[in-house]
Amino acid sequence: MQEKRKQRKKQDIYDLSGGKDYGYLVERQEIMEKKILGGKTGRSLSWEKYLLMLLMAVCCCFIVPQKVQAAEANPESDFEWDGNKITRYIGHYEQCEPVVIPDRATAIGYNAFFMCYGISSVEIPNSVVDIEQGAFGGSSLLKSINVAENNPKYLSKDGILLDKTGHVLKCVPAGRTGNNVIPDGVTSIGNYAFWGCKMTSIEIPSSVTTIGDSAFGWCDCLTNVKMTDSITSIGNAAFYHCTGLTSIEIPNGVDSIGEYAFGHCNNLTDIKIPSSVTNIGDSAFFSCYKLTNIEIPNNVISIGNMAFFHCENLKDIILPNSVISIGNSAFGCCKKLTNITMSKCMKSIGDSAFSDTNITSIEIPNSVIDIGNAVFERCSNLKNINVANDNMEYLSMNGVL
């Protein structure tokens, strides 16, 4: 009879455990019964069993929490150090695993976790008070960055790293896909914040006023960006190598387009530049191969070096009268460029500004006082360069400068 009862206990525990064999608990219970109840067992002692079960339940309240402990920090040997700053993660990041920063760390250096493909999450302790830009860029399986609640400099929301005020978005893990949501209250998207993310679209809320350098660099899957007119600044290389973008509308509040801001956006065919822009930075649209037309607004004063270099499908350019300078190679290697309407207020044309284009003629206004070297080099179809008669620095004879 006792053996049958024992087997029934095993079966009950097996059923309650979802099919796992915890039969060894029966033997442990039998031993405890004998110790606590003086060797008495059986159905006749039901109240003693209830007491025993109550005691075991109370014990479990203290025992179970011990199994749910904070993750143990990675050994210091998993990192390269400069004092208390982590300069590089060298752990076993070929596997998809979490990384817990040890309390020794007070800083995480530039590119410390750059393209660490195997890490799934990062836990940042209270001791870390400085995280340099690009620290986690390109870690393609990284889903979340979690900051200790009492960290004095940083916080995290839904696995996204922000400064302590919640106003500056520092890093969105590159392993995020689909549509990303920028947390409420963010006013600035920091340098490298989304670098290498595989998201497909992003809607930037009206609270955001600045987009930092390389903020969306190398987001190859990004096809749709919505920005509001609250944005006043787009940083250098902000959307560099976003090869999925086909069109972009720059907000009306932006006054300057940074260097390489849309460089190597190979599939970009349509760009709308607002009248608020006064400066187009160096290489701003470098190698936008599919760009066929661009309207430069009347408030633009300067066009930087290589601003439209190698936009090989660009055909026509009208430079409004507000433009006074064109940088070196600004329209170089625009091989299908056939027509250029020059600003009547142009003062300076940089070296190789129109080299390797398909232009056939060009008019140089009287305002021009500086023409660089090799401006029209390898323009094999150029027949005439005509300089205004009242230009004080240059003249042309029979179409020759």
Side-chain angles (χ1 to χ4, degrees):
M1 180 67 70
Q2 189 170 352
E3 183 62 29
K4 287 183 179 180
R5 189 162 54 249
K6 185 174 182 180
Q7 290 298 327
R8 190 160 51 250
K9 288 178 183 178
K10 286 186 178 181
Q11 184 61 41
D12 290 344
I13 292 173
Y14 182 86
D15 292 340
L16 291 170
S17 66
K20 295 182 180 179
D21 186 6
Y22 291 133
Y24 68 91
L25 293 176
V26 174
E27 282 78 4
R28 185 170 295 178
Q29 180 183 345
E30 294 284 356
I31 294 169
M32 289 181 70
E33 284 180 357
K34 290 178 180 179
K35 286 185 176 180
I36 295 173
L37 305 175
K40 297 178 181 181
T41 61
R43 292 181 180 271
S44 60
L45 298 175
S46 58
W47 70 269
E48 291 98 331
K49 284 191 176 182
Y50 288 132
L51 177 60
L52 175 62
M53 291 171 65
L54 180 60
L55 289 171
M56 290 178 69
V58 172
C59 289
C60 287
C61 291
F62 294 96
I63 295 170
V64 171
Q66 294 177 7
K67 296 180 181 179
V68 184
Q69 297 175 348
E72 184 178 350
N74 285 55
E76 292 184 4
S77 59
D78 279 356
F79 309 91
E80 291 180 353
W81 299 84
D82 179 7
N84 292 324
K85 180 169 80 171
I86 292 174
T87 58
R88 184 66 182 162
Y89 176 66
I90 55 174
H92 302 290
Y93 55 80
E94 70 278 0
Q95 301 173 358
C96 189
E97 59 183 19
V99 172
V100 180
I101 306 293
D103 288 337
R104 168 187 168 181
T106 59
I108 300 174
Y110 173 73
N111 282 353
F113 290 85
F114 180 73
M115 301 186 87
C116 292
Y117 297 116
I119 60 175
S120 59
S121 65
V122 176
E123 304 288 328
I124 299 174
N126 292 332
S127 58
V128 173
V129 293
D130 182 24
I131 301 175
E132 295 181 4
Q133 63 184 21
F136 304 101
S139 296
S140 57
L141 295 179
L142 183 61
K143 301 290 186 182
S144 65
I145 301 170
N146 304 306
V147 181
E149 186 176 353
N150 294 323
N151 187 292
K153 294 291 186 179
Y154 302 98
L155 59 83
S156 56
K157 290 183 180 179
D158 191 30
I160 295 173
L161 178 65
L162 302 104
D163 76 335
K164 194 64 176 181
T165 67
H167 297 325
V168 181
L169 194 158
K170 304 293 288 185
C171 182
V172 173
R176 299 289 185 93
T177 57
N179 302 333
N180 268 281
V181 177
I182 295 175
D184 293 338
V186 170
T187 59
S188 176
I189 298 175
N191 298 345
Y192 296 87
F194 287 85
W195 199 97
C197 283
K198 300 304 178 186
M199 61 193 177
T200 56
S201 67
I202 186 75
E203 185 170 347
I204 301 174
S206 59
S207 59
V208 174
T209 59
T210 61
I211 298 175
D213 296 346
S214 300
F216 296 92
W218 290 85
C219 292
D220 296 340
C221 299
L222 187 61
T223 59
N224 184 39
V225 178
K226 291 183 179 180
M227 295 183 278
T228 68
D229 289 344
S230 62
I231 294 173
T232 58
S233 175
I234 296 178
N236 298 336
F239 294 91
Y240 182 82
H241 210 280
C242 290
T243 54
L245 280 179
T246 58
S247 65
I248 195 80
E249 185 170 348
I250 298 170
N252 284 323
V254 173
D255 60 5
S256 179
I257 300 173
E259 298 176 7
Y260 288 95
F262 298 94
H264 273 294
C265 291
N266 300 342
N267 289 301
L268 196 59
T269 59
D270 184 35
I271 302 168
K272 292 182 179 179
I273 301 176
S275 58
S276 57
V277 171
T278 59
N279 175 63
I280 298 175
D282 294 351
S283 303
F285 299 97
F286 175 91
S287 287
C288 291
Y289 305 138
K290 294 188 178 180
L291 190 62
T292 58
N293 181 53
I294 188 162
E295 185 176 340
I296 298 173
N298 198 34
N299 287 326
V300 172
I301 296 171
S302 63
I303 298 173
N305 299 333
M306 302 180 77
F308 295 93
F309 184 84
H310 208 214
C311 292
E312 57 184 31
N313 283 298
L314 199 59
K315 295 178 181 178
D316 300 285
I317 285 293
I318 298 175
L319 299 174
N321 292 336
S322 59
V323 176
I324 62 174
S325 68
I326 300 174
N328 299 338
S329 300
F331 295 93
C333 284
C334 295
K335 295 183 180 297
K336 293 184 180 180
L337 183 60
T338 56
N339 297 305
I340 300 170
T341 302
M342 191 70 72
S343 164
K344 293 179 180 179
C345 299
M346 185 69 67
K347 293 183 178 181
S348 174
I349 302 173
D351 297 346
S352 304
F354 300 103
S355 62
D356 281 298
T357 61
N358 199 35
I359 57 175
T360 56
S361 66
I362 192 161
E363 304 290 326
I364 307 293
N366 59 8
S367 56
V368 173
I369 58 175
D370 182 27
I371 298 176
N373 298 319
V375 170
F376 304 106
E377 187 177 28
R378 293 186 296 278
C379 294
S380 56
N381 291 316
L382 182 60
K383 305 298 183 185
N384 293 295
I385 302 174
N386 301 311
V387 179
N389 291 332
D390 52 350
N391 186 293
M392 302 298 292
E393 298 292 333
Y394 300 96
L395 60 83
S396 59
M397 297 181 64
N398 299 321
V400 177
L401 178 63

